[in-house]
Amino acid sequence: MEHLEIRDIQKSFGSNRVLDGVNFSTEKGEFVSLLGPSGSGKSTLFRMIGGISSPSSGDVLLEGNSIKNHPGSVSYTPQTPSLMPWRSILDNVLLGQEISGKKDEEMAAQMLERAGLSGFEQAYPHELSGGMKQRVSFIRSILSPQPLILLDEPFSALDEFTRTDMQKWLLSMWSEHQRSILFVTHNIEEAIFLSDRVIVLSQRPAKVIKEFEIPFERPRKEEILLSEEFLYMKKDIYQEMRSSHASANY
């Protein structure tokens, strides 16, 4: 049984169709990226998986059970960290556990220390940099009880070097905790570097046009970004997206 199954999801806003029969599935413990051009409906799809909005038709299944219109079934991290400004950093990362009634402050403190945030437990979000806030947001997701984490372009606002550091940190945390992650990006290099599999979406109205298995061994090292094999895969995915774009505008 697939961990997550997206079954023929369609979404329209009036006469504007955004998603046109999206189908894919993920396995437990897998890191999967959804890759598509800006405005293709990736974030719209995420809001439906997260139960925040409803599809026009189709279904979202988690371990065989429909979670359509059921917020709280997955851990959803939007593009901005969405930390509560009146809560300390420690209280922010404990929020998901607090809601479920199972707080583990010791584990939270250990994870903050591993993320380089030791000493910031009682600080507030406005005192942190953008990269630090993203780490806090991801730790909150890891500590939440849901089996699937949705990450919606969490590094898009960061500079290139901070972004690479955050990607490596994310992979180290994921490999340790082996949570299922569905990651949205429009950055081909980021999708390849992070993922077990990359699902490519077309221009709006979006549908799945191809899936790519990523063959690189884990743990991933920054050096692969400049390898010939990596650049070939980046070219293949780029050409797939480019041909889709050309067809949509023909």
Side-chain angles (χ1 to χ4, degrees):
M1 179 186 296
E2 290 88 2
H3 188 49
L4 174 73
E5 184 181 0
I6 306 303
R7 185 181 292 172
D8 199 29
I9 289 290
Q10 299 191 40
K11 180 66 174 181
S12 296
F13 296 98
S15 61
N16 180 23
R17 177 163 287 191
V18 179
L19 301 171
D20 189 22
V22 175
N23 289 279
F24 66 86
S25 62
T26 69
E27 300 296 330
K28 193 170 184 177
E30 201 176 17
F31 196 125
V32 176
S33 285
L34 283 178
L35 181 65
S38 296
S40 60
K42 303 182 298 296
S43 294
T44 299
L45 178 61
F46 255 34
R47 286 193 292 272
M48 285 183 279
I49 298 172
I52 299 168
S53 63
S54 302
S56 300
S57 63
D59 206 353
V60 180
L61 302 163
L62 185 64
E63 296 178 340
N65 300 308
S66 177
I67 59 169
K68 184 172 67 173
N69 302 323
H70 288 284
S73 300
V74 302
S75 178
Y76 174 50
T77 301
Q79 292 181 22
T80 55
S82 299
L83 303 178
M84 294 184 175
W86 60 88
R87 293 178 70 109
S88 69
I89 299 309
L90 180 61
D91 286 342
N92 263 288
V93 300
L94 286 168
L95 181 61
Q97 289 191 339
E98 189 177 303
I99 292 169
S100 68
K102 296 180 180 179
K103 286 175 63 173
D104 189 339
E105 291 193 18
E106 185 177 350
M107 172 67 77
Q110 289 174 1
M111 292 185 73
L112 286 169
E113 182 177 3
R114 281 211 54 214
L117 294 169
S118 181
F120 288 91
E121 295 87 351
Q122 299 307 317
Y124 288 87
H126 73 272
E127 301 176 77
L128 272 59
S129 69
M132 294 165 79
K133 290 177 186 177
Q134 289 294 6
R135 277 176 269 169
V136 173
S137 188
F138 183 68
I139 291 170
R140 180 177 61 189
S141 295
I142 284 282
L143 288 172
S144 296
Q146 296 93 336
L148 174 67
I149 298 172
L150 308 181
L151 299 176
D152 189 355
E153 300 197 65
F155 309 141
S156 60
L158 304 179
D159 66 79
E160 184 175 351
F161 294 107
T162 304
R163 186 181 185 127
T164 301
D165 288 342
M166 286 297 299
Q167 289 167 353
K168 292 188 291 185
W169 177 82
L170 171 60
L171 286 179
S172 71
M173 297 297 289
W174 171 75
S175 64
E176 180 177 335
H177 295 275
Q178 285 297 298
R179 302 285 292 280
S180 302
I181 292 180
L182 189 60
F183 187 95
V184 153
T185 182
H186 61 268
N187 186 299
I188 298 173
E189 192 172 277
E190 179 170 70
I192 298 171
F193 183 65
L194 293 174
S195 308
D196 297 311
R197 192 157 44 97
V198 174
I199 297 171
V200 180
L201 297 178
S202 68
Q203 292 276 98
R204 184 183 294 192
K207 58 185 176 183
V208 175
I209 53 176
K210 194 162 184 178
E211 296 188 13
F212 290 85
E213 297 281 345
I214 307 302
F216 304 114
E217 292 183 356
R218 295 191 185 275
R220 302 268 165 89
K221 297 180 179 178
E222 192 175 346
E223 292 74 33
I224 70 166
L225 294 168
L226 298 177
S227 70
E228 191 172 334
E229 295 82 2
F230 190 96
L231 294 175
Y232 272 127
M233 174 150 278
K234 183 177 177 180
K235 181 181 177 182
D236 285 346
I237 295 177
Y238 173 81
Q239 289 178 334
E240 190 68 42
M241 294 179 69
R242 187 69 178 168
S243 63
S244 170
H245 178 79
S247 297
N249 290 279
Y250 181 71

